[in-house]
Amino acid sequence: MAKGNAVIGQSGGPTSVINQSLVGVIQAVQKSNHIDELLGARHGVRGIINEDFVPLRQATADWIERAAQTPAAALGSTRDKPDAAYCEKIVASFKKNNVRFFFYIGGNDSADTARIVQELAAGAKYDMQVFHIPKTIDNDLRVHDHTPGFGSAARFVAAAVMGDNFDNASLPGVKVDVIMGRNAGFLTAAAVLARRNSEDGPHLIYVPETVFDVDQFLGDVDRVHKKAGRCLIAVSEGIHDQSGAPIAAVLAEKLGRQVEKDSHGNVQLAGSGILGDFLGDLIKDKLKIKRVRSDTFGYLQRSFPSLAVSQTDADEARMVGKVAVEYSRDESKREGSIAMIRKSNSPYKIETIFTSIKNVARETKHLDAQFLDGTSNISNAFIEYAKPLVGPLPKTASLDEVR
Amino acid sequence: MAKGNAVIGQSGGPTSVINQSLVGVIQAVQKSNHIDELLGARHGVRGIINEDFVPLRQATADWIERAAQTPAAALGSTRDKPDAAYCEKIVASFKKNNVRFFFYIGGNDSADTARIVQELAAGAKYDMQVFHIPKTIDNDLRVHDHTPGFGSAARFVAAAVMGDNFDNASLPGVKVDVIMGRNAGFLTAAAVLARRNSEDGPHLIYVPETVFDVDQFLGDVDRVHKKAGRCLIAVSEGIHDQSGAPIAAVLAEKLGRQVEKDSHGNVQLAGSGILGDFLGDLIKDKLKIKRVRSDTFGYLQRSFPSLAVSQTDADEARMVGKVAVEYSRDESKREGSIAMIRKSNSPYKIETIFTSIKNVARETKHLDAQFLDGTSNISNAFIEYAKPLVGPLPKTASLDEVR
């Protein structure tokens, strides 16, 4: 006999494969008999407290496969970060709707919400199980070897930088590509996969895990440009100086310009050309290089459709959804995050483990020291780590092979 | 007996399929006996006057297929716009190297270079034939129904906006996507292909063919946002006011900000976040909408690798290269541009014609009036025109289908 209903929600910045996890849950629930209805919460926790639910158990196979290919959160997402009072309302909604299973797809903040909900339910002796299904292009969840969403965003970045390398070789100059990742440099580091041979860019890669020194940066660019006649730079939106101040703000001051801040006093980073423009202007001003361009990849990194998705990432995103439902059959599993652990790299092989949500919630992880190569490059160890997640990139040719 | 050598060059902003045209020429020359060596000029006209040539006739089939998939100009491109004196040097280089065929892949400026070279050669009674092979993501060549490079750039834009529509629906707000095209709105108009149903964005599309009125724009955004709770906007980098002044400059003045200009006094448009940031700030300031984001798609539109390329575009780009070599067998064909003309739209069918380069050079074309639908939308006629060029986009699903 089924124990009750389940709720599934999606939270935080969407990814290109977040719906793979959604359909993984739907498919597993359709085959299960321990769950009655699967309620999709519209816009995450907000849909739960507003009881804005869509029944999903009867979704057709055709819809499921199309939804799986659709980027961004089909249920809608939310930026709400519930406090204890908000979580009380969540538990009240669960009780009212006889929800005994909560599947929450998200990053570390969403994991923390799931953790609080589980504690409140347990404290109220309300029998329910809570599962965190990982999702973040930032790839910054502790315990997890990597997270669904990262492989596809990294594939987009690697492909875009690869194309840009050829563009930069066609019309030589300096090009700055600004990549998402305020605190963790995984996505920016993935730009390294664009390199095919020693002449290829990105020639310089800057991540938030190291201190960004403006003078050293200019020296790096000058050296590469003098040697290669061009320079392709991948830089994280989150680079900062010794004091932790974002470089966009530091450069704004140097260049006598104003910078926009959000309500928390944070410099607005994503989706704005400000950092790329500042770095470009700096290179023009100080190095007297004429052709300097910048691009900010922006939201395309997380929302580009299936054309650029990593198949491994898509498969794994669906798998973690299914595994969460499998784990939910076991009543002793009260709360946990479904984490992928790498068993071997060649051949690439992962397995999932069930880890307490508290091991994943709130704090994040950063690029390991072994993944860095000085302050302006990424190591071969990272290439080995990231390659299977991103999948094969298109073949290319260079003129040198014909010469 | 072969008549002499041929030179092939690539010019202007690269595209994702410009090398398809290059390999089309190589493959046709390999099968021909009227051409001796095929010399690839490094960086277009600059490589010609510097005699920086790479022999291409012996290129292997493996290299050819990899090069065809590689975005941007394998030979290198150039922004040089040769005057008569420069063109004299080109003709001198051709004479010295017994070049009797000149294949130049480029847009309207490159066509004009080819035209001048042909006139100078004819004036000097130097026997040579000159062929312009079309290439431009702007799709703005006269006579040509469409140009190689456009379909793939349009496919990138349509796919990116499609993904962004789902992202915007996940976390509702206003999103501004700035798309390339300083004078012609074809590429921005292609954003309309992202729409699947009446709720989908882009909800508003602004091209340079109409006057952009700031107050009307704010009214449009307000109306859509109030009705749909969100608004996705596709806007060309080249939008301008009644006087022809770029909107980036107009808004800079309104918002009391400075704007960067290049050496010709043009506001720097491509690859910078300035227009998107200005429009975003304006919406925040005037409409008091909290979540407003902008992206500038930048150089990715022309350089994204084969993952997002239109197969039709790739095939046609190769075909026009081959056809140019075919035409060159005919000694009466002294100069011309290989233009695609649409014979039927359903089924999609084109044929090539040979038109004098002067019909294509210098002046460009714009979006036809029938392709516009008021000042903030694109017509069904454009959708019919562009669909076969862009190819099928990924299937998607919306939650409404399950509800």
Side-chain angles (χ1 to χ4, degrees):
Chain A
M1 206 186 78
K3 200 173 146 187
N5 298 317
V7 157
I8 173 128
Q10 296 172 306
S11 179
T15 78
S16 296
V17 298
I18 186 171
N19 290 334
Q20 291 280 2
S21 296
L22 171 65
V23 307
V25 169
I26 296 173
Q27 288 181 312
V29 167
Q30 287 179 333
K31 285 183 185 159
S32 81
N33 51 17
H34 68 296
I35 293 171
D36 278 321
E37 186 53 273
L38 176 66
L39 300 169
R42 297 282 285 132
H43 298 287
V45 286
R46 194 176 295 195
I48 299 172
I49 62 170
N50 293 333
E51 296 178 65
D52 187 2
F53 296 125
V54 181
L56 294 170
R57 191 170 184 135
Q58 301 305 321
T60 65
D62 170 66
W63 184 87
I64 283 174
E65 289 313 322
R66 284 185 291 115
Q69 275 200 58
T70 306
L75 295 173
S77 192
T78 180
R79 287 283 182 199
D80 285 3
K81 288 179 187 171
D83 55 13
Y86 196 121
C87 289
E88 290 281 9
K89 288 184 197 169
I90 294 173
V91 175
S93 171
F94 285 166
K95 283 181 180 169
K96 187 173 165 194
N97 292 283
N98 191 31
V99 173
R100 301 295 176 168
F101 307 92
F102 178 31
F103 301 101
Y104 209 32
I105 308 172
N108 60 308
D109 283 334
S110 314
D112 201 44
T113 300
R115 182 189 62 78
I116 300 171
V117 166
Q118 197 275 332
E119 284 177 6
L120 289 173
K125 306 232 179 290
Y126 179 68
D127 179 16
M128 79 174 298
Q129 296 165 259
V130 174
F131 301 90
H132 169 249
I133 298 170
K135 172 274 340 170
T136 167
I137 64 167
D138 292 333
N139 201 37
D140 60 354
L141 293 186
R142 292 175 296 145
V143 184
H144 297 241
D145 174 77
H146 61 281
T147 53
F150 170 67
S152 295
R155 185 172 174 78
F156 180 88
V157 166
V161 172
M162 192 183 92
D164 211 22
N165 170 60
F166 291 107
D167 195 271
N168 180 247
S170 292
L171 290 169
V174 176
K175 178 72 194 299
V176 180
D177 286 336
V178 180
I179 297 166
M180 274 184 169
R182 192 185 279 257
N183 299 310
F186 289 97
L187 198 54
T188 303
V192 75
L193 298 173
R195 259 185 230 150
R196 298 292 168 89
N197 63 51
S198 57
E199 276 101 60
D200 283 344
H203 305 98
L204 300 168
I205 304 173
Y206 300 95
V207 292
E209 280 78 0
T210 52
V211 170
F212 186 88
D213 181 275
V214 168
D215 295 324
Q216 197 184 328
F217 168 72
L218 286 170
D220 291 342
V221 176
D222 191 41
R223 174 175 48 79
V224 172
H225 187 261
K226 280 194 174 127
K227 190 181 164 204
R230 66 187 187 96
C231 184
L232 180 59
I233 305 160
V235 59
S236 166
E237 60 181 2
I239 52 167
H240 55 81
D241 71 6
Q242 194 97 41
S243 76
I247 294 301
V250 175
L251 287 178
E253 202 176 326
K254 274 204 182 216
L255 297 168
R257 295 233 230 122
Q258 288 223 312
V259 68
E260 298 281 308
K261 291 188 183 178
D262 69 15
S263 53
H264 307 286
N266 291 320
V267 175
Q268 182 67 37
L269 298 178
S272 160
I274 202 165
L275 179 61
D277 287 351
F278 279 148
L279 292 174
D281 287 353
L282 188 76
I283 293 164
K284 273 187 207 165
D285 288 355
K286 303 291 181 186
L287 301 181
K288 310 293 175 204
I289 296 171
K290 209 177 154 196
R291 187 178 168 82
V292 183
R293 299 287 186 273
S294 65
D295 272 328
T296 303
F297 288 178
Y299 293 91
L300 273 55
Q301 295 165 90
R302 73 184 195 195
S303 62
F304 203 77
S306 51
L307 303 172
V309 154
S310 153
Q311 191 58 50
T312 300
D313 187 34
D315 293 345
E316 289 179 348
R318 191 177 301 206
M319 182 272 294
V320 292
K322 287 184 176 176
V323 166
V325 177
E326 288 309 311
Y327 282 140
S328 73
R329 292 178 193 276
D330 179 351
E331 291 200 16
S332 73
K333 292 195 159 44
R334 307 311 295 168
E335 60 85 18
S337 178
I338 288 76
M340 290 185 284
I341 302 297
R342 197 173 308 209
K343 298 308 286 180
S344 98
N345 201 48
S346 180
Y348 172 71
K349 193 161 176 285
I350 54 136
E351 66 176 37
T352 56
I353 61 165
F354 192 67
T355 185
S356 174
I357 296 175
K358 69 177 185 298
N359 298 330
V360 174
R362 298 166 89 169
E363 283 171 52
T364 56
K365 72 172 182 185
H366 298 90
L367 275 175
D368 205 86
Q370 63 158 332
F371 290 159
L372 304 175
D373 176 8
T375 56
S376 63
N377 199 12
I378 295 299
S379 73
N380 287 329
F382 180 83
I383 295 176
E384 292 308 309
Y385 164 81
K387 243 184 184 168
L389 313 181
V390 166
L393 291 166
K395 288 183 180 177
T396 57
S398 87
L399 197 63
D400 293 332
E401 300 173 61
V402 179
R403 281 196 131 156
Chain B
M1 204 185 80
K3 201 173 146 186
N5 297 317
V7 157
I8 175 131
Q10 296 172 306
S11 179
T15 78
S16 296
V17 299
I18 187 171
N19 291 333
Q20 292 279 1
S21 296
L22 170 66
V23 307
V25 169
I26 296 173
Q27 288 181 312
V29 167
Q30 287 179 334
K31 285 183 184 159
S32 80
N33 52 17
H34 67 297
I35 293 171
D36 279 320
E37 186 52 274
L38 176 66
L39 300 168
R42 297 281 286 130
H43 298 288
V45 287
R46 193 175 296 195
I48 299 172
I49 63 170
N50 294 334
E51 297 178 62
D52 187 2
F53 295 125
V54 180
L56 294 170
R57 193 171 182 132
Q58 301 306 321
T60 64
D62 170 66
W63 184 87
I64 283 174
E65 289 312 322
R66 283 186 290 116
Q69 276 201 60
T70 306
L75 295 173
S77 191
T78 179
R79 287 283 182 199
D80 284 4
K81 289 180 186 170
D83 55 13
Y86 195 120
C87 288
E88 290 281 10
K89 289 185 197 167
I90 294 173
V91 175
S93 171
F94 284 166
K95 283 181 180 170
K96 187 174 165 195
N97 292 283
N98 191 32
V99 174
R100 301 294 177 169
F101 306 92
F102 178 31
F103 300 101
Y104 209 32
I105 309 172
N108 61 306
D109 283 335
S110 315
D112 202 43
T113 300
R115 183 189 62 78
I116 300 171
V117 166
Q118 197 275 331
E119 284 177 6
L120 289 172
K125 306 232 180 289
Y126 180 67
D127 179 16
M128 79 173 298
Q129 296 166 257
V130 174
F131 300 89
H132 169 249
I133 298 171
K135 172 275 338 171
T136 166
I137 65 167
D138 291 334
N139 201 37
D140 61 353
L141 292 186
R142 292 176 297 145
V143 185
H144 298 241
D145 174 77
H146 62 282
T147 53
F150 170 66
S152 296
R155 184 171 175 79
F156 180 87
V157 166
V161 173
M162 191 183 95
D164 211 22
N165 170 61
F166 291 107
D167 195 272
N168 180 247
S170 292
L171 290 169
V174 176
K175 178 74 195 294
V176 180
D177 287 335
V178 179
I179 297 166
M180 274 185 168
R182 193 185 280 257
N183 300 308
F186 291 95
L187 198 54
T188 303
V192 75
L193 299 173
R195 259 185 229 149
R196 298 292 168 91
N197 62 50
S198 58
E199 277 101 61
D200 283 345
H203 306 98
L204 300 168
I205 304 174
Y206 300 94
V207 293
E209 280 79 358
T210 52
V211 171
F212 185 89
D213 182 275
V214 169
D215 294 324
Q216 198 185 326
F217 168 72
L218 286 170
D220 292 342
V221 176
D222 191 40
R223 175 176 48 79
V224 172
H225 188 262
K226 279 192 173 130
K227 190 181 165 202
R230 66 186 187 98
C231 184
L232 179 60
I233 306 161
V235 58
S236 167
E237 61 181 1
I239 53 167
H240 55 80
D241 71 5
Q242 195 95 40
S243 75
I247 293 302
V250 175
L251 288 177
E253 204 177 323
K254 273 205 183 216
L255 298 169
R257 294 233 230 124
Q258 289 222 312
V259 67
E260 297 282 307
K261 291 188 182 178
D262 69 13
S263 53
H264 306 287
N266 291 319
V267 175
Q268 182 67 38
L269 298 178
S272 160
I274 202 165
L275 178 61
D277 286 350
F278 279 148
L279 292 174
D281 287 352
L282 188 75
I283 293 164
K284 274 186 207 166
D285 287 355
K286 304 290 182 186
L287 301 181
K288 311 293 174 203
I289 296 171
K290 207 177 155 195
R291 186 179 168 82
V292 183
R293 299 286 185 272
S294 66
D295 272 328
T296 303
F297 289 177
Y299 293 91
L300 272 55
Q301 294 165 91
R302 73 182 194 196
S303 62
F304 202 77
S306 52
L307 302 173
V309 154
S310 153
Q311 191 58 49
T312 300
D313 187 34
D315 293 344
E316 290 179 349
R318 191 177 302 205
M319 182 271 294
V320 293
K322 287 184 174 175
V323 166
V325 177
E326 288 309 311
Y327 282 141
S328 74
R329 291 179 194 275
D330 179 353
E331 291 200 14
S332 74
K333 292 197 159 44
R334 308 310 295 167
E335 60 85 17
S337 178
I338 288 75
M340 291 185 284
I341 302 296
R342 198 174 305 210
K343 298 308 286 180
S344 98
N345 202 48
S346 180
Y348 172 71
K349 191 161 177 285
I350 54 134
E351 66 176 36
T352 56
I353 61 165
F354 192 67
T355 185
S356 175
I357 295 175
K358 68 177 186 297
N359 298 331
V360 173
R362 297 166 88 169
E363 282 170 53
T364 55
K365 73 173 181 185
H366 298 91
L367 275 176
D368 205 85
Q370 64 160 330
F371 289 159
L372 303 175
D373 177 8
T375 56
S376 62
N377 200 12
I378 295 299
S379 73
N380 287 329
F382 179 84
I383 295 176
E384 292 308 310
Y385 164 81
K387 243 184 184 167
L389 313 180
V390 167
L393 291 165
K395 288 182 179 177
T396 57
S398 85
L399 198 63
D400 293 333
E401 299 173 61
V402 180
R403 279 195 132 153

